[in-house]
Structures are given as C-alpha cells and as structure tokens.
Amino acid sequence: MKNPRKLWLAFALVVGLSFAVLGYYGIEIYQKAPPIPEKVVSGDEVLFSGEDIKDGQNVWQSIGGQEVGSIWGHGAYAAPDWTADWIHREAKYMLDHQATKRFNNVFDKLNDEQKAALQTTLQKEIRKNTFDEAQGTITLSAERALAYKQLEQYYSGLFSDDPAFNNLREAYAIPKNTIKDPVRLKKISAFFFWASWACVTNRPGENVSYTHNWPSERLVGNVATGDLMLWTGFSVIMLLLGIGILVFYNAKNKEEEVADDIPTEDPLLQIKSTPSMRATLKYFWIVTALILVQVILGVVTAHFGVEGSAFYGIPLDEVLPYSLSRTWHVQLAIFWIATSWLATGLYIAPAVSGYEPKYQTLGVNFLFIALLIIVAGSMGGQWMAIMQRLGYIENFWFGHQGYEYVDLGRFWQIFLLIGLFLWLGLMVRALLPALRQKTSSRNLLIMFIISSVAIALFYGAGLMWGRRTNLAIAEYWRWWVVHLWVEGFFEVFATVVAAFLFTRMKLLNERTATLNVLFSTIIFLSGGIIGTFHHLYFSGTPTAVLALGATFSALEVVPLVIIGIEAYHNYSISKLKPWVNAYKWPIYCLVAVAFWNFLGAGIFGFIINPPIALYYMQGLNTTPVHAHTALFGVYGILGIGLMLFVLKGLYRQNVWKDGLIGFSFWSINIGLLLMVLISVLPIGLLQTVASVNEGMWYARSAEFMQQPIMNTLRWLRVIGDTIFAFGTIGLALFVIGLKTGWSYHKGDFDVKKTEKLH
C-alpha cells in the first residue's frame, strides 16, 4: 500500500477486467433474454400479437410500472407482484378446470393423490417451451387459452371501475380507472402473460425457467434449484475469505492517517470564497426544500398502505395516487442527494485550486436553473402519464418510463445527462491549475476527476434501452444506473471528497489519506462492479449471471466489516483541536454514515443478497429495509453532512448553536432506525415466512397483507416516521436560521478577523 503506482495499476486492472466481464455477460443477456413472439396462438386462433405485448409494456409503464406492484420482484410493495399473481391465478384456473372435468370437484377439495396427478399434468404443459423461433409463435393449449381470457377479464376489471374489485383496489392502493382505455386494458394483460410465461417456461435445453424458477410457486414446479444453494454457500465462503484477508492486510499495513502537526487554527479560514463558491448556497436551499417535500411524500406513500385510496379520509388518490407519490418520493431522494453532492463538488473545485475560471459563476447559476427545470418538468410529465393523458410515445419521452429510480421521461434523462456533463466541465476547468502542479495531493485530484467523469458518464447507461426494449435487457441497463452510478461511483466520489476536506483541514496526513482512498476504491470496486449482477438473479438472465453476482456481491460487504474503525476515526478527529468542534455536526454525519454503511448496506444488504435468500425475499419488505437504511442512511446523511461542511465554509465566522442541528441529527437517525426495526423489518420477515411456506403470490396478496397484525405493524411506522419528520423540519429551520441569525450565536465568532461572506 506504500506505492501509489502499484495501486493505480491495481485500480486499472480491477476496473478494466470487471467491465469486461460485465460487458461479456451483457451480450449473453441480450442473446438469451426471454423471446417476445410475433404472436401467441391456440389452434387457429391468434390470442394476441407481439405488438400487443410491447404496447402492454408501455401501458404498464404509463401507469407507473414498477411503482404499481412489481414485475420479476422489482418494484413497489402495496400491490402484488403481477408475475407471481398471474402464475398462481392461471394455475388455479387450469387445475380447477381439470378437477371439474375429471373428478367433478374443485381442486382444493381433492385428495392428495388426485392433486398430485393434476399438478404433474399441469407442470408438464405449462413448463414446456412452445416458442417456435422459425414461426415466431408461442402456442397455448385450449385450456390455457381459456385461462388467459379469464385473467384478461380479471385484470381489466381490477384496473378499470368494476365495483366487484373496490375492496381489492383499496388493498392494492390502485385508483378506479387507473387504465381508462379498453384497448389498453387488454394489452396490459398480454404483457403480464409474457412476463409470467418467462417465469414458468423452461429455457431451451434446460430444466429451469428463464427467471431461474422465480417466483416460488409449487403448483407449477417453481422451486429453488441446486444452483441457488451452491452459489449461496460459495458467496458465504467468499465473504469469510475476504474478511480474513482484509483484516490481516489492514492490521499489517495500517499507517497512521492523522497528521503529525495539527494546526492550532482552522486552515480552511485561509481559503478565500470565490463568487462561484458563494453561488452554490442556493443549491443547498433547494436541497433542504426537496428533503421536506420528499419526506412528506414518504408519509403519504406509507399511509396508502393502510388507507389505499385516501389520506385520513381525504380522497387523495384522485389527484395524487400511490404510484405517483411513490415515484416522486424515490425520484426526489435521488435529486436532492445528487444536488448536494454536485454542489459540494462545485464548491470544493475552486477551493482546492485557488483558481476561479472566467464565467464560472455564470455556469454554476445556469446549471442551477437547468436542474430546477428538470425537477419540475419531469414531475409534471409523470403526473400527466399516470393520469393517462399521454400516448405511448409522448409518455416515453416526457412522462413516466416505469423503471424504479429512473422513472423520468427520456427527454428529461437527456437533459439531466447534459447537465451532468456541464457540471463535469465546470469542475475540471476549476481543477486544472491544481492538477498541473506535481504536489502530494495530485493522486487524490486525479481520483476526484475520475469519479466525477464516472458520475457524468454512467448516468448515460439510462439511455441504452428504448421504448419497446425487452424487459430483461432494460433491467440490465437500469442496474448500471442504480448500482454503478448511485451505489458505485457516487460512493467513490464521496470517499474522495471526505479525504479532501480532512486533508485541507490538515487533520489527515495527505500521502497516507491518498493511498487509503486508492486502496478503499480498489476493494470496493473489485466486488461492486461485477456485483451489479446480484440484482439480476431472476430477471431473465442465464445461470452464469447468478454465479458471478453471488460471488462478487459478497465481496462488496467485506470493506463494511471494518467500518467501525472508520467511525471511531472520524469521531476522534472531532476531538483533536478546539477549532475542529466547529465541524462537529458534519463529522458526526460521517460517523452516522459509517454506522448505516455497516447496518444498512452491510447487514441488511447481505440478508437479501445470497441467491437462496433473495429467491424468497425479492419483492418483499426486506428490500425497503435495505433501501431506506442504505440510500438515506448512507447517501442521504452523507449529502446532509457535505451540505453542512459547505455551509460552515459559507458562514464560517459564526459559531453555530448546537440545539437545533443536534435535535435534527439525532431525530433523523433515531427515527430511521425505529421506522425499520418496529415496522418495515417485521413486515418483511413475516412475508418471508409466508413466501417460504406458501409462495411469493401469498406473501404479496391482499389476503396476507391485510391481516390485523400487518395493519398494526404498518401503523407502528408512524412512531419512527414522526420522529424522522421532525428531524428534517429541524434541519430546514437550522439552514434558514443561518440566514436569519437564529442558528448561530450573534457576536460570537470562530476567529477574530475574517472576510465577510454574506
């Protein structure tokens, strides 16, 4: 770890080889994705066409897609997983039809021998791959065709205004007339059939379905395979091996990061704030506002789980249905976290180089306006889409793409990508003078620029699918954005930024901190890049993806095992000198990030990571346990911490009051912990038991989810949510108070003389 050249070589090898593997098996996914036929037939009757399937996918996307139930386990949790729901209803219909025909009774009332005989017959029919590549057709038996027509009527009634489905719509948080056009109602059933067909149909030459037998459903023979067991065991072995090697290496090569000569005064006070640095202040005002709106939408979304069409009696679903509130809740989280991090980068670049390029302030202000337009425009387009006011093409470009975390229309995606490259340009032009100097921080600067380039570049993966792309292929690229962009290179960027801040404050040894950043990045990306595949176990991908995902995603957890060292280290820094106390709350945020990294990303992440665990848990409330504690607990609190660092720089002469910001910090963290431990996690664990015993369809069904104990657990979320919400309000009041004066001690200054900044 003492030689930066060897570390850079290791970094290049890890990134190069990992992306080579990711790309090679990406080609495999393209080639082996579940085929979309030209038509589905039964005898001489054409039930529907391939165009109907593709249009049905667009209909599903227009109503919110993965924000209304889920497909292949990816999506929201109030409504069912439509693939699991379809498979179970189709199987029950066909079994009842055969039971009546052969035994003059319904299936549930037959004896075990009769049930076993019918199930064997059903599985032989339903698992047989009848796709004819030459003809481009899938052929169904007359009985299965009848089941399709029956289910088409069922889902048409559910998504329209059939009064027979009122209670079910309430349980699923689906408004009446979610789909208003009868033609669209038929087409969404075609898409649901195809997605479900892929779950139960064996791949050519194999005895496993396109989705590796997911979801679990004994009626159709969807049971866990030996591969799931094998690669689960291997992932645990890799985890233990990785932990052992890292702990040994860390103990053998640990160098003291803390600087030998800690200054007696804050070195950052010597940095002159430039106009572009001061121009970032409005970004953080917007960040604060978006946090509040996002939390309000989270409260509304959670409440839909107990009152599916209203908010305490107010018929809110008429203007803000669950699918829309959840879309905005998730999307705004990405927006405000990214905005905080990007604004921090814009602030740090001139501070590091001491150089303010010409028109830098204009660029910062222009980017700010562009981001506001993207946020408002994409949200407006999504409302229009879910209200069914856009056609297929208009919806794709300006409305709702239906893919979680990348829901915004393609036009807004392109607009945001351009904005990210503008941000990259502003960063690089400010950093170039510092980069030309061969100082000890040059390696850290290079990594800073690499991570910045990756942030701009990898969002472009969201443009790799089209309006009618096969779902398996779209999922492959979606996880490039969600895993590599959000969870990957933003993590690297944050690590570099934190190192920059501490080295500029002369609290860390610059050389050692730089080497540690390089080493941490190598360790993280060695598992993180190929580990993307663990999201794709059951998304129509070949078995090799399962093996690679299980192996390398286990390695992602390895660095998190020694995260306690980082937490203690960050806490110790806050005690080094009296002036460091001015940065107490930003540093505490880094301590909290370390805690949530271990618990949220590590423990809660690994619970659902091994293949056999995810086979039963994918699409259950165990997933939002990981999502909330990792996305907000790690990236959100880090975004808040970075915001506080910058605000301290912009309001550097004032001594902050601890009361409001302290209340906010502890309320946010305690509220998040309570929300997960007393509500979301117990619901997820009860669902897991139901999934193992009965199947995925039951764990997500209204029958199971509307039990009194589940409603009680959902209501218990109010405790954590309320504490959390008060914490975010406290944060907003604190930020406002920096402008009005109630957040700092008037007449009390960190230093006697300093420049006036505001």
Side-chain angles (χ1 to χ4, degrees), residues 544-556:
V545 168
L546 171 73
L548 289 166
T551 302
F552 283 88
S553 64
L555 296 177
E556 288 183 82

Side-chain angles (χ1 to χ4, degrees), residues 5-34:
R5 289 186 179 181
K6 290 182 179 179
L7 286 174
W8 278 115
L9 178 61
F11 172 78
L13 286 172
V14 164
V15 172
L17 292 174
S18 296
F19 276 109
V21 172
L22 205 63
Y24 175 82
Y25 284 100
I27 295 171
E28 287 273 296
I29 290 171
Y30 269 80
Q31 294 173 341
K32 297 183 178 180

Side-chain angles (χ1 to χ4, degrees), residues 127 207-208 211-218 221-230 232 538 546 611-616 691-692:
R127 300 192 71 85
N207 195 32
V208 65
T211 60
H212 218 92
N213 284 3
W214 192 94
S216 59
E217 175 57 82
R218 294 188 185 91
N222 265 15
V223 294
T225 65
D227 285 337
L228 294 176
M229 308 290 188
L230 171 66
T232 294
F538 313 117
L546 171 73
I612 192 62
L614 197 59
Y615 179 76
Y616 292 108
S691 177
V692 172

